[in-house]
Amino acid sequence: MSTTGATADPLAALGSLPGVAESVESVRKAVDRVYGHRVMRRRSTAVTSEAALRGARGSAALSGADWALEEVRRRSDFGADDQALAVGAALRLTAEAGQLLSIWRQSPLRVLARLHLVAAADEGDEVGRPRQAGESVDEPLIELELPTSDEVAGRLDGLAQLIVAGSSAPALVTAAVVHGELLALRPFVSRNGLVARAAERVVLIGSGLDPKSVCPAEVGHAELGRAAYLAALEGYVSGTPEGMAAWITHCGRAIELGARESTAVCEALQRGAA
């Protein structure tokens, strides 16, 4: 992660980048609209469950398994092929994310290891730990230069220190940095995209921005499309102020679209159609 200058709170410094403050405010308004819906007062659990399903579908789509929502809803076997495995992993991660909030602020690396263990299940001895020298990465949809294992270790430690120290940065900024850093590093031998998006979810829930997890950013990322996602990620990896701002605002737009999706779910529940 690169910032615009040395500061005791580098995450907060990113909040001053052009367009970021406006994105933060737009996200807050979108989230408030969902939480202010009358359905949330009596059926928030149903909205959370539907958001989890739609978020998992969106995350899997970005990993190459672009299934229809109803296919994800009806399937029970997720071990048949690579796409099914990706969808199954996304569903497990979505269910797991909310269980790790108490650990995240004290030991984010432990949470990331757990997320990879959940995502990769029985893929091999490399599961649940950062990759080591000489190990390859199965992440074909992200073609950026792969950092070395030593760089991964150093940057993961730096990210963990930022999380543990705490920050006055808006939740959007922290979530975007965690998401972007994990995609840039690809610290595990597989399933890095799924883990990165699950970690973003953990931050959004734990920060209090989306405590009931009803604004699935994964839905928005998928709706914006893989090409836009990868282009914004290149901005993050560049480390320039413009690139970082582009990535953060892209993540903000994804959260807004996730909020819009759940607002539609609320409307459907109110009509008795879902």
Side-chain angles (χ1 to χ4, degrees), residues 125-158:
D125 295 338
E126 303 88 355
V127 169
R129 63 157 174 80
R131 56 185 168 84
Q132 300 173 358
E135 291 180 338
S136 60
V137 174
D138 181 15
E139 206 74 40
L141 300 179
I142 299 177
E143 299 179 351
L144 298 171
E145 183 178 352
L146 192 67
T148 66
S149 58
D150 286 343
E151 184 178 354
V152 167
R155 285 173 62 173
L156 280 179
D157 282 344

Side-chain angles (χ1 to χ4, degrees), residues 216-234:
E218 306 95 325
V219 168
H221 286 303
E223 184 173 337
L224 291 168
R226 191 182 302 153
Y229 185 66
L230 296 177
L233 176 61
E234 288 181 0

Side-chain angles (χ1 to χ4, degrees), residues 11 15 22 33 46 53 75 100 109 123 129 145 147 168-169 184 196 202 210 213 221 230 263:
L11 291 176
E22 293 83 354
R33 279 194 292 272
L53 185 72
R75 283 283 287 268
L100 300 170
L109 297 185
E123 288 186 13
R129 63 157 174 80
E145 183 178 352
S168 62
V202 170
D210 184 20
S213 193
H221 286 303
L230 296 177
T263 300

Side-chain angles (χ1 to χ4, degrees), residues 99-237:
Q99 309 303 313
L100 300 170
L101 301 178
S102 62
I103 307 172
W104 174 252
R105 283 296 301 273
Q106 286 74 42
S107 185
L109 297 185
R110 186 175 155 201
V111 169
L112 294 176
R114 174 61 185 170
L115 290 173
H116 187 247
L117 186 64
V118 168
D122 299 324
E123 288 186 13
D125 295 338
E126 303 88 355
V127 169
R129 63 157 174 80
R131 56 185 168 84
Q132 300 173 358
E135 291 180 338
S136 60
V137 174
D138 181 15
E139 206 74 40
L141 300 179
I142 299 177
E143 299 179 351
L144 298 171
E145 183 178 352
L146 192 67
T148 66
S149 58
D150 286 343
E151 184 178 354
V152 167
R155 285 173 62 173
L156 280 179
D157 282 344
L159 181 64
Q161 289 171 21
L162 287 176
I163 299 301
V164 172
S167 172
S168 62
L172 166 61
V173 172
T174 303
V177 167
V178 168
H179 185 170
E181 193 71 355
L182 293 174
L183 286 178
L185 294 177
R186 282 145 290 160
F188 303 107
V189 296
S190 65
R191 308 294 185 198
N192 291 285
L194 293 174
V195 169
R197 291 183 288 275
E200 179 184 51
R201 176 181 285 265
V202 170
V203 174
L204 294 174
I205 300 170
S207 67
L209 176 65
D210 184 20
K212 295 183 183 293
S213 193
V214 295
C215 301
E218 306 95 325
V219 168
H221 286 303
E223 184 173 337
L224 291 168
R226 191 182 302 153
Y229 185 66
L230 296 177
L233 176 61
E234 288 181 0
Y236 178 87
V237 172

